[in-house]
Amino acid sequence: GRTVCVTKPLWLEAWGTQRREKKEKKKVEEKGQMNPLEKRKQMRIVRELRAMENKGLMLQARQLLQENEELFDGEFKDLAERIRTQASDAETVIEEVADDAGWALSYLNDREQFATLYKHERGDPVHSIKMRAVFNASVPAVLSVLREFDLTATWNDHMKGAAQLSFPTPVSLQAYGAGFMPWGPFKTRDVVFNGYGVDVLDQHGCVALVFKSTDKPCAPLPSVSRRCVRAEFQRSGVVLEPLPALPGAPKRVLASMVLHGDPKMVVPGWLANFGLKVFAPMIKRQTD
């Protein structure tokens, strides 16, 4: 009895290895799972997307997402949808701010570099307001004022209450605001809204802030809310565009706001426009 050792040919070993790998890949596909390499790639991209989201770089995040769409069919679907929505909404706000077609000029003061416009369709509960103003400040300085939304009631006499409810990311928040109605003896209106910033300086030369009302506050509201009527904001926003320096004004920014709001009451267009002409300049001077 002599023992004979038989060695498999190399081609047979390679064939066996390929067959086993195909079987494992098929099992993963049948279970709807990613293979280890794809999973590591997905998690790396998720970390990059979240870092971009925390900096407001939503257009860059959307581009990275589009380049790796196949990795986000199921898991992290909420993150992917949030990136797409915020990038699209920011671009829409920028377009609305720049396009004045169909808007009526309500107030213009060249010396103060301030203008307001108004738009409303008969029978539509939503009233649209657009404001433009130049401030002798930097974009970060204006952003810091908006970030401290809870302090607006301390310097704006028209605000009856304000609060910050949460900060989901460093460039987003949920906030509450209550402001008196300038049209007769009506109750104060308030709103809860989600807002976020999108840095598009490289693409559009500006920073866009987008906000929209929500009926799901994530924290208790100030007591003033019990005496208010809840208004509604459709997608609205503010665009901050740095301007060239002038003598005596080394830092300047053009701030443009577009607001689409339903005050939950019937307001004739002419009355809303009149109120805008009267009160908007007062708000601008308080902002200065």
Side-chain angles (χ1 to χ4, degrees), residues 8-26:
K8 288 184 179 180
L10 291 177
W11 66 267
L12 186 58
E13 288 187 4
W15 176 80
T17 301
Q18 289 179 353
R19 189 177 181 187
R20 286 192 299 271
E21 288 177 350
K22 286 182 179 179
K23 285 183 177 180
E24 290 297 325
K25 185 176 181 181
K26 186 176 181 180

Side-chain angles (χ1 to χ4, degrees), residues 53 55 116 170 265-266 286:
E53 182 182 26
K55 295 178 181 178
T116 62
M265 61 180 292
V266 178
Q286 288 183 350

